[in-house]
Amino acid sequence: MTESAKPKMKVSETEVAVEITNMAKWYGEFNVLKDINFKVMKGERIVIAGPSGSGKSTLIRCINRLEEHQQGHIVVNGIELTNDLKKIDEVRREVGMVFQHFNLFPHLTIMQNLTLAPIWVRKIPKAEAEETAMHYLERVKIPEQADKYPGQLSGGQQQRVAIARSLCMNPEIMLFDEPTSALDPEMIKEVLDVMVKLAEDGMTMLCVTHEMGFARQVANRVMFMDQGQIIEQNDPENFFDNPQHERTKLFLSQILH
Amino acid sequence: MSEEKVGSVAYVRKEIVKDLPPPPSTTGVIGWLRTNLFSSFGNIILTAIALYIVYSLASLVYEFAFANAIWEGTEGKDCRVPDAGACWPYIANRFNFFIYGFYPSEEYWRPNLVFAIGAVLLVALATPKIPGKMISGILFLFVFPVVTFFLLYGAGFTGLAEVPTEKWGGLMLTLVVATTGIVASFPLGVLLALGRRSNMPLVRSVCVVFIELWRGVPLITVLFMASVMLPLFLPAGTNFDKLVRALVGVTLFTAAYTAEVVRGGLQAIPKGQYEAADALGLNYVKATSLIILPQALKMVIPGIVNNSIGLFKDTTLVSIVGLFDLLGAVKAGTTTSTWSAPTVPVTGFFFAAIVFWIFTFTMSRYSQYMEKRLDTGHKN
Ligand SMILES: Nc1ncnc2c1ncn2[C@@H]1O[C@H](COP(=O)(O)OP(=O)(O)O)[C@@H](O)[C@H]1O
Ligand SMILES: [Mg+2]
């Protein structure tokens, strides 16, 4: 399968979603990210893979400034991330994030989880926010759960709600940090299905995941990280079938058996 | 498993068995008694001992408060009979004093009106079915205190006779001190807790010092300092009302404790909640007020109520600075010559204990009810 075999997913030639140049980050003395350089065009679906502790989460959390980088530049949607809180808020409004452990707000109903940020951050009227929320709940196929609390839903349902919650802010870019790793096996597919659909609709996505089937089906690029560096990136076909780096080969042999 | 093996299986269940009710010995009254009270020989003995203790205590109280109690009389002499129980005429005779202290009797309608307004607002606030929580909340927190002050104190534009705070007393004073302390200390405590977890070193240090200072001092010292030493530091001529000084002391003292309880709740909120709020673009104030505090405060309801109950009882310490709360009023009454009888002090304290218990028990039950109501099935 080549890029042309995924005709539905268009990648912009000119519009840049995320651009990272010479970026580095430290936790104390520990150099967790080293010399990161890449560019993501609008409409791209990037899968980031790599062994545990290689810095994948840290990298995507830098993109919405949940973590601060100490060197280099991160430009998201044309806005450079600096200490300027206004800029940070602006970026966060355009970037949705889905976490491994869902992080839904347990004291609010599903509907309230979905409408909270649109109402308080985007200042959208409540009725309109609820309409949008219902639309996305239907898209993730759980409209009937709107009045329940997160604690009453299964893991797979909670993760789909978390995706819907991000979508309600109408983001330009979606970040996923191992969205299926905390799920029971039978629930993984329902979440991946939602993500595939999202990709088909043209969302710019950066996904940290070990779901290699998903990567083959959806990604247009796979990045491989090790020890805080991106050591290989390629289109999924070549990445899986023809890995270049020794570490990549080892990693793939471990996860694909 | 191979094909032949499957074929040779002798027994395969054709239909799924329906759920059966549990065996009767594990449910119902008998089942409960058996599992909880009589499950083993040791348990049977403990049950018997406990029942005996409960019975002895209950019969003691019954004899004192009912069987041997004196119900009629006009002075201490009537209660000075052998083996007498509670001296109830004393309570009846002094009832108004216990409730209002030295408040002039022709003005009793004023505290009564305050009690009534307070009760109505509290019921409106506490009953989930009654709508308009915002309005009743604002009325209770901001309007009610002002109304209370002008009603009780009078003077000025109200056209009511002035009743200086020295004349306030009894249950009325206890409620004023306790309610002010509980209500005013709460927002302050929350702010202190947030401040103690702030990223700004200066804010954090100020909060830590404040909390540790007040927590390190007994309330009785705080009250004493407020009433005796504070005037020494203030410029001569500034005359701060004794009650106000006590209220400020009680409020700041309680706020320090509330802050530590709330901090415990804040620490229990998973990091993911902050991150999700950040990622959605909520700023600090919105994330704190919409996501973090609602969860943290729900978690610390038992602690807050525990504090409030403690404070309610500690209001009795205001008698040290010459204020006549309920207990002070009861105590003062027992030393008058008309009511000198051996059972009079006991009766007075018994009465005070019951009144305190009714209030604190109500608080405790209500908090349990709220905890259940706010439970959304999420267990971390
Ligand atoms: N807050 C932190 N403080 C110090 N070290 C951290 C922190 N968060 C992560 N690390 C370290 O940074 C490295 C990369 O972590 P992470 O980005 O979570 O890796 P991955 O997501 O690829 O498993 C790990 O070695 C981890 O121990
Ligand atoms: Mg990770």
Side-chain angles (χ1 to χ4, degrees):
Chain A
M1 212 166 31
T2 60
E3 190 60 31
S4 58
K6 300 172 183 172
K8 272 193 276 181
M9 309 180 196
K10 278 207 199 70
V11 173
S12 169
E13 309 262 308
T14 51
E15 285 177 289
V16 181
V18 180
E19 181 160 19
I20 300 184
T21 38
N22 302 327
M23 191 267 272
K25 172 170 178 61
W26 288 260
Y27 282 127
E29 292 287 298
F30 174 51
N31 193 187
V32 54
L33 295 176
K34 303 163 196 165
D35 192 32
I36 304 286
N37 288 284
F38 66 85
K39 200 178 197 179
V40 179
M41 307 305 287
K42 286 230 166 103
E44 275 203 279
R45 289 90 41 207
I46 313 280
V47 160
I48 302 169
S52 174
S54 56
K56 308 178 296 292
S57 298
T58 310
L59 173 60
I60 69 163
R61 290 155 61 88
C62 281
I63 296 174
N64 65 350
R65 195 70 171 194
L66 287 185
E67 301 289 351
E68 195 179 321
H69 61 283
Q70 280 97 26
Q71 211 177 70
H73 304 276
I74 301 179
V75 180
V76 182
N77 240 357
I79 304 163
E80 165 142 28
L81 281 168
T82 58
N83 281 327
D84 187 345
L85 290 178
K86 265 215 180 94
K87 295 260 168 74
I88 294 175
D89 281 344
E90 237 174 285
V91 166
R92 284 176 178 167
R93 256 176 276 152
E94 304 305 330
V95 179
M97 182 153 200
V98 175
F99 301 87
Q100 185 175 357
H101 296 287
F102 333 134
N103 296 355
L104 294 176
F105 305 130
H107 62 303
L108 301 177
T109 63
I110 301 307
M111 180 52 83
Q112 291 166 333
N113 264 277
L114 265 60
T115 54
L116 184 112
I119 291 173
W120 289 92
V121 178
R122 286 223 189 268
K123 315 276 183 216
I124 291 171
K126 188 163 175 247
E128 194 186 325
E130 287 182 347
E131 206 174 301
T132 314
M134 225 39 221
H135 166 75
Y136 283 113
L137 278 182
E138 269 156 29
R139 248 181 86 170
V140 301
K141 302 199 172 60
I142 34 175
E144 71 283 359
Q145 311 285 4
D147 295 320
K148 291 202 182 154
Y149 286 94
Q152 299 166 309
L153 269 54
S154 74
Q157 290 174 323
Q158 290 194 47
Q159 193 60 297
R160 284 184 282 154
V161 170
I163 295 173
R165 177 175 70 178
S166 287
L167 294 177
C168 281
M169 285 294 279
N170 201 10
E172 302 262 339
I173 302 163
M174 285 286 287
L175 309 174
F176 294 82
D177 191 359
E178 304 206 31
T180 56
S181 328
L183 297 176
D184 291 336
E186 78 269 21
M187 294 173 183
I188 292 177
K189 187 171 177 299
E190 65 189 51
V191 171
L192 289 180
D193 284 348
V194 169
M195 292 169 62
V196 171
K197 185 79 185 15
L198 200 56
E200 285 171 358
D201 289 347
M203 178 66 76
T204 310
M205 295 164 69
L206 283 93
C207 311
V208 175
T209 180
H210 291 162
E211 293 296 331
M212 293 306 148
F214 172 79
R216 268 187 199 272
Q217 187 187 349
V218 170
N220 65 311
R221 204 155 27 124
V222 180
M223 292 184 186
F224 183 76
M225 283 189 76
D226 193 27
Q227 295 179 4
Q229 302 165 64
I230 298 172
I231 60 172
E232 181 162 352
Q233 55 174 312
N234 216 331
D235 58 79
E237 293 69 38
N238 284 315
F239 178 82
F240 289 114
D241 303 336
N242 191 16
Q244 301 299 308
H245 209 288
E246 278 313 311
R247 285 188 207 278
T248 319
K249 286 179 195 163
L250 179 67
F251 177 77
L252 286 176
S253 74
Q254 278 164 343
I255 66 161
L256 300 174
H257 309 294
Chain B
M1 224 187 260
S2 71
E3 284 293 315
E4 292 136 283
K5 276 231 176 108
V6 171
S8 69
V9 169
Y11 171 77
V12 174
R13 199 185 274 285
K14 295 262 167 38
E15 280 167 39
I16 301 299
V17 175
K18 293 233 166 58
D19 290 355
L20 294 174
S25 60
T26 62
T27 59
V29 178
I30 307 279
W32 186 88
L33 287 177
R34 189 179 298 194
T35 47
N36 289 292
L37 298 181
F38 304 109
S39 59
S40 68
F41 183 66
N43 212 335
I44 291 174
I45 292 184
L46 285 179
T47 302
I49 295 175
L51 281 178
Y52 177 73
I53 294 175
V54 169
Y55 170 77
S56 320
L57 284 176
S59 58
L60 268 179
V61 170
Y62 174 75
E63 275 167 27
F64 174 78
F66 297 99
N68 297 340
I70 309 290
W71 296 92
E72 273 165 42
T74 49
E75 52 182 332
K77 197 169 58 169
D78 301 316
C79 292
R80 241 178 281 143
V81 291
D83 291 331
C87 182
W88 293 126
Y90 163 68
I91 303 293
N93 182 274
R94 288 303 172 114
F95 191 74
N96 283 342
F97 182 62
F98 294 164
I99 304 295
Y100 308 102
F102 295 107
Y103 211 85
S105 55
E106 63 278 10
E107 307 284 349
Y108 279 173
W109 66 271
R110 283 153 61 176
N112 286 345
L113 185 57
V114 167
F115 288 152
I117 300 175
V120 167
L121 287 177
L122 262 187
V123 169
L125 260 183
T127 318
K129 281 208 199 80
I130 299 178
K133 288 279 173 283
M134 265 304 256
I135 296 173
S136 47
I138 290 172
L139 285 178
F140 184 76
L141 291 179
F142 301 104
V143 182
F144 181 55
V146 179
V147 171
T148 300
F149 174 77
F150 284 114
L151 261 178
L152 293 183
Y153 189 76
F157 71 94
T158 58
L160 297 167
E162 179 178 329
V163 183
T165 55
E166 285 85 59
K167 299 216 162 168
W168 303 14
L171 180 64
M172 179 189 123
L173 185 83
T174 297
L175 288 178
V176 166
V177 176
T179 315
T180 312
I182 292 168
V183 172
S185 68
F186 182 70
L188 190 58
V190 170
L191 287 181
L192 283 169
L194 291 172
R196 190 166 187 169
R197 285 172 57 83
S198 160
N199 293 330
M200 289 175 269
L202 186 67
V203 174
R204 198 169 51 228
S205 323
V206 168
C207 291
V208 170
V209 168
F210 183 95
I211 292 170
E212 296 305 336
L213 208 68
W214 287 93
R215 278 207 315 159
V217 182
L219 179 57
I220 200 159
T221 318
V222 171
L223 290 170
F224 192 71
M225 300 253 292
S227 88
V228 180
M229 298 187 54
L230 194 62
L232 299 181
F233 297 127
L234 292 172
T238 33
N239 187 23
F240 237 121
D241 189 277
K242 197 157 66 175
L243 177 60
V244 173
R245 274 179 280 167
L247 286 179
V248 171
V250 165
T251 302
L252 297 181
F253 180 82
T254 313
Y257 278 86
T258 308
E260 285 303 278
V261 173
V262 172
R263 187 165 69 101
L266 290 173
Q267 269 164 348
I269 304 292
K271 205 163 144 256
Q273 293 290 305
Y274 292 91
E275 290 176 352
D278 281 347
L280 285 169
L282 294 161
N283 60 25
Y284 176 80
V285 173
K286 284 174 190 158
T288 305
S289 59
L290 297 170
I291 308 296
I292 306 303
L293 276 182
Q295 296 184 60
L297 293 181
K298 188 173 91 183
M299 258 187 271
V300 300
I301 289 175
I304 301 270
V305 172
N306 196 31
N307 268 1
S308 304
I309 289 174
L311 171 66
F312 192 85
K313 295 185 294 180
D314 282 351
T315 55
T316 50
L317 292 173
V318 297
S319 60
I320 202 85
V321 296
L323 294 168
F324 265 103
D325 74 314
L326 173 60
L327 195 64
V330 168
K331 233 191 307 191
T334 59
T335 54
T336 56
S337 53
T338 19
W339 284 104
S340 72
T343 55
V344 160
V346 189
T347 310
F349 291 128
F350 187 72
F351 170 75
I354 290 174
V355 174
F356 274 105
W357 186 80
I358 288 172
F359 278 97
T360 53
F361 187 67
T362 310
M363 287 192 233
S364 154
R365 297 306 303 190
Y366 183 70
S367 88
Q368 284 176 21
Y369 162 78
M370 274 319 273
E371 259 177 80
K372 283 216 191 78
R373 225 185 93 75
L374 292 173
D375 186 13
T376 57
H378 181 89
K379 296 274 174 289
N380 273 325

